[in-house]
Amino acid sequence: MNKTLLTLLLATPLVQAAQVQPQPPVQAAPPQAAPSQPQVPATPAESPELRAQILLDRAHFSAGQIDGQYGSNMKHALLGFQKSRGLAATGKLDPQTLAALEDRQPVLATYSITDADVQGPYRPVPESMADKAKLPALGFASIDEALGERFHASPKLLRELNPGKDFNRVGEQIIVPNVHAAGPIPPAARIVVDESDRTLSLVDTAGKVVAQFPASTGSEHDPLPIGEWKINGVGRNPDYRYNPELFWDAKPGEGKAMIKPGPNNPVGVVWMDLSKEHYGIHGTPEPGMIGKTESHGCIRLTNWDAAKVADMVGPGFPVILQD
C-alpha cells in the first residue's frame, strides 16, 4: 500500500489451506470416513471453464477467484500456462492446453461442514477505518466468505454448485473445487510483476515461469514503481496502520487508525515488504476484484496466492517491476 506504514507480525496466518484429500470413486462411502473428509462427488457438474480454472489453480497459474467464467484473469492464466509449456499462446481453451493441464485428479470434491465452520465467529466488516479499528480482528463476514477463501472460489459459485444445501448445518456435504490437490511450486529465482497484463510471476534460474498469479498493480495516482527491488522481509497477519494524510482519496474527517489482523485486513493475511519504501506485495479482503481494479501502488494478490508467494521468498529475493 503506497505510503502506508505497517507493523509486521511474524505469526501463523489466520487463513489455513484446508487439506482436501479426495478418494477415488467407489460404490459406497467408506464406513470409517470422518464426516469432514472430502471425497469425490458421484456426479460432478462441471463446465469446461470451471474445470480449467481449477486445473490452472493446481498448476500454479491462477485465474484468481474461481467463478467458472471466462474473463481477463483466466485469459492471462491460460496465456501464461501455454507459454510455460511451449504451446500456442492463444489464451483459449483448446484441446492441447486442456491435455497439458490434466493431472489425473478430480477437479471437484465433497466437503462436510464442521462445527468450527458454522461457529465462525462471523461479523460484518464496517466501511470506515475508524470502525474497523474497533474490532479485535478482521475475520470473515460470513461462512460463505470463509468457505470461498478456503476453496479459492466465489461464494456465488459455491451456492451454484450446491443448490438447496444449508451451509450452516454441521455435517452438510457440499461440492467444492478440489484446489488442495496441487503439488509444490518448483524453486524460483525471482519475482516479475508485469503491469501490462497485471500478473505476478515466479521465474526460475533458467528464465522459465514456474507460477503466475493475477495482480492489481497500481493506478494513475499511485503508479507501480518500475525497476529492480528486493524483498526486505515477510510478515504474516500484519497489523495495518492507516494514515489518511498519505492517501489522495482519504475521506474528509478521517483520522489515523490501527487495524487488527485477519483476512479482511486491508492488506489481507500477508505483507512482503519491498526495498522500495512504503511498497509491498500483499493479500486483499476482496479476492474477486484482483486484476480488475487499481491499487495504491502496491502489488495486491488474493490471500491464498499471496500466501503461496510468501512461502517461496525471503529477505533479499529479487523483484522486477515492469510495464
Side-chain angles (χ1 to χ4, degrees):
M1 191 68 63
N2 187 22
K3 300 178 182 177
T4 300
L5 300 178
L6 291 169
T7 300
L8 305 181
L9 300 182
L10 300 178
T12 303
L14 293 182
V15 180
Q16 298 289 343
Q19 296 302 310
V20 181
Q21 299 175 351
Q23 304 295 320
V26 292
Q27 296 301 315
Q32 70 273 20
S36 61
Q37 177 71 20
Q39 297 176 8
V40 178
T43 56
E46 63 193 60
S47 68
E49 292 78 14
L50 175 58
R51 181 177 185 82
Q53 285 183 348
I54 296 169
L55 290 172
L56 283 164
D57 188 286
R58 293 206 303 240
H60 308 299
F61 282 78
S62 170
Q65 188 180 65
I66 296 170
D67 59 8
Q69 304 296 316
Y70 182 89
S72 59
N73 283 348
M74 183 174 176
K75 176 183 177 180
H76 291 307
L78 285 167
L79 282 169
F81 178 82
Q82 289 165 340
K83 292 175 183 177
S84 75
R85 300 303 193 271
L87 301 171
T90 63
K92 297 179 180 179
L93 279 176
D94 54 59
Q96 293 79 13
T97 302
L98 287 172
L101 279 168
E102 184 57 57
D103 60 7
R104 300 182 181 275
Q105 298 185 81
V107 296
L108 296 174
T110 58
Y111 175 76
S112 292
I113 301 293
T114 68
D115 182 66
D117 293 329
V118 173
Q119 293 302 318
Y122 306 109
R123 68 175 72 192
V125 178
E127 289 282 335
S128 75
M129 291 295 183
D131 288 337
K132 284 182 172 73
K134 296 175 184 177
L135 298 179
L138 269 293
F140 293 114
S142 67
I143 191 171
D144 291 52
E145 185 182 48
L147 291 172
E149 185 116 339
R150 179 178 297 174
F151 297 107
H152 308 178
S154 72
K156 181 175 181 289
L157 173 70
L158 290 181
R159 288 294 180 181
E160 290 173 347
L161 287 174
N162 297 281
K165 295 287 187 175
D166 183 0
F167 287 9
N168 288 293
R169 186 178 74 84
V170 175
E172 184 79 280
Q173 299 245 328
I174 62 171
I175 296 175
V176 298
N178 186 21
V179 293
H180 299 295
I185 300 176
R190 63 184 181 274
I191 287 173
V192 176
V193 177
D194 195 320
E195 191 173 37
S196 67
D197 60 6
R198 295 187 173 187
T199 61
L200 180 151
S201 299
L202 291 169
V203 182
D204 68 13
T205 55
K208 179 180 179 180
V209 175
V210 297
Q212 178 184 292
F213 311 98
S216 294
T217 57
S219 68
E220 179 183 355
H221 293 278
D222 300 296
L224 186 72
I226 304 303
E228 297 185 11
W229 313 99
K230 292 184 182 297
I231 297 287
N232 284 335
V234 176
R236 296 183 186 273
N237 284 340
D239 282 346
Y240 173 72
R241 294 180 184 271
Y242 176 69
N243 183 352
E245 296 178 3
L246 304 177
F247 288 83
W248 66 268
D249 57 350
K251 297 178 181 178
E254 282 189 320
K256 295 180 180 181
M258 170 74 82
I259 314 299
K260 294 298 183 181
N264 271 308
N265 182 284
V267 295
V269 300
V270 66
W271 169 269
M272 288 163 271
D273 193 49
L274 292 179
S275 54
K276 172 67 173 175
E277 189 177 11
H278 306 314
Y279 284 81
I281 302 168
H282 62 84
T284 182
E286 298 181 307
M289 304 307 293
I290 290 300
K292 302 171 185 177
T293 56
E294 297 178 330
S295 75
H296 284 90
C298 290
I299 300 95
R300 188 186 305 156
L301 309 172
T302 66
N303 278 337
W304 53 87
D305 288 340
K308 279 186 180 182
V309 175
D311 286 341
M312 302 293 293
V313 305
F317 198 87
V319 178
I320 299 172
L321 307 182
Q322 63 188 32
D323 55 5

